[in-house]
Amino acid sequence: MSKQGSRDSSVPYIPLPQNPNHQNVIVSLVYYHRPYQTNHYLRRGVIFAGVLLLLSATILFFYPSDPILKLARIRLNHVGVISSPKLTIDLSFSLTISVRNRDFFSLDYEKLVVSVGYRGKELGVVNSEGGRVRARGRSYVNATLDLNGFEVVHDVIYLIEDWAKGVIPFDTTTKVNGVLGLCFLKIPLK
């Protein structure tokens, strides 16, 4: 075909008639989303949701929870009564405490000192020399409880009152020197 033949086959331009009642026409093009772009956004959303779910599950598993403590055995070592200036009792006990650890990390400690208080006064100290609390298991910890200067009249009345309510509010301060174990990691703890 020649150039002349291709011009004849084209649509001729016809000017639009001038009409006083003319209307405006808006032509809008339809935006077509390519399938790979839609899948790309969907894939990003699914990956983001999966990473968020995995991160939440990891935090849930490794978030520390309180261990369950139960007194397994108690033995009286020493009793001392002091009558001057106030009536006080010094007591010493050997304790075996059952510790149920629900966490995914263990604790190997060299020294554990817990100061026990009641109503703003220090009652005594719990000492434990070395031990291990296993991860996701039950361990038994040996300790010594020393109650020094327990005021019989003053403290016993409040203790019985709190016991009748069902809650005895002991204050504790714990000092630990050891290693926190998580899988193959050993984290020093003080």
Side-chain angles (χ1 to χ4, degrees), residues 4-77:
Q4 189 68 16
S6 66
R7 278 191 206 155
D8 294 338
S9 66
S10 67
V11 178
Y13 173 73
I14 303 171
L16 293 173
Q18 295 295 330
N19 186 357
N21 295 333
H22 74 284
Q23 295 179 346
N24 291 333
V25 177
I26 298 175
V27 177
S28 91
L29 299 174
V30 177
Y31 179 72
Y32 176 70
H33 289 283
R34 295 184 185 128
Y36 67 87
Q37 280 184 336
T38 305
N39 289 341
H40 182 70
Y41 292 132
L42 180 63
R43 191 174 339 151
R44 276 188 184 172
V46 168
I47 289 172
F48 178 73
V51 167
L52 189 64
L53 183 66
L54 184 64
L55 183 64
S56 299
T58 303
I59 289 172
L60 177 69
F61 281 136
F62 292 117
Y63 191 78
S65 61
D66 292 334
I68 299 170
L69 303 174
K70 291 184 181 177
L71 186 61
R73 184 176 57 203
I74 186 169
R75 190 183 75 194
L76 182 63
N77 291 338

Side-chain angles (χ1 to χ4, degrees), residues 9-10 14 31 34 44 49 52 62 67 77 86 98 105-106 119 124 128 130 134 138 144 146-147 149 171 173 185:
S9 66
S10 67
I14 303 171
Y31 179 72
R34 295 184 185 128
R44 276 188 184 172
L52 189 64
F62 292 117
N77 291 338
K86 296 179 186 176
S98 170
F105 48 84
S106 64
R119 295 199 177 250
S128 181
R134 295 182 304 152
R138 184 178 305 271
T144 303
D146 294 318
L147 298 174
D171 303 320
T173 303
L185 299 174

Side-chain angles (χ1 to χ4, degrees), residues 97 107 109-116 122 124-130 141-146 171-178 190:
I97 301 169
L107 174 65
Y109 62 92
E110 298 166 8
K111 186 168 180 94
L112 175 71
V113 178
V114 180
S115 175
V116 180
E122 184 177 305
V125 177
V126 177
N127 290 308
S128 181
E129 295 294 329
V141 176
N142 295 320
T144 303
L145 170 64
D146 294 318
D171 303 320
T172 59
T173 303
T174 306
K175 296 178 185 175
V176 178
N177 186 9
K190 281 196 175 215

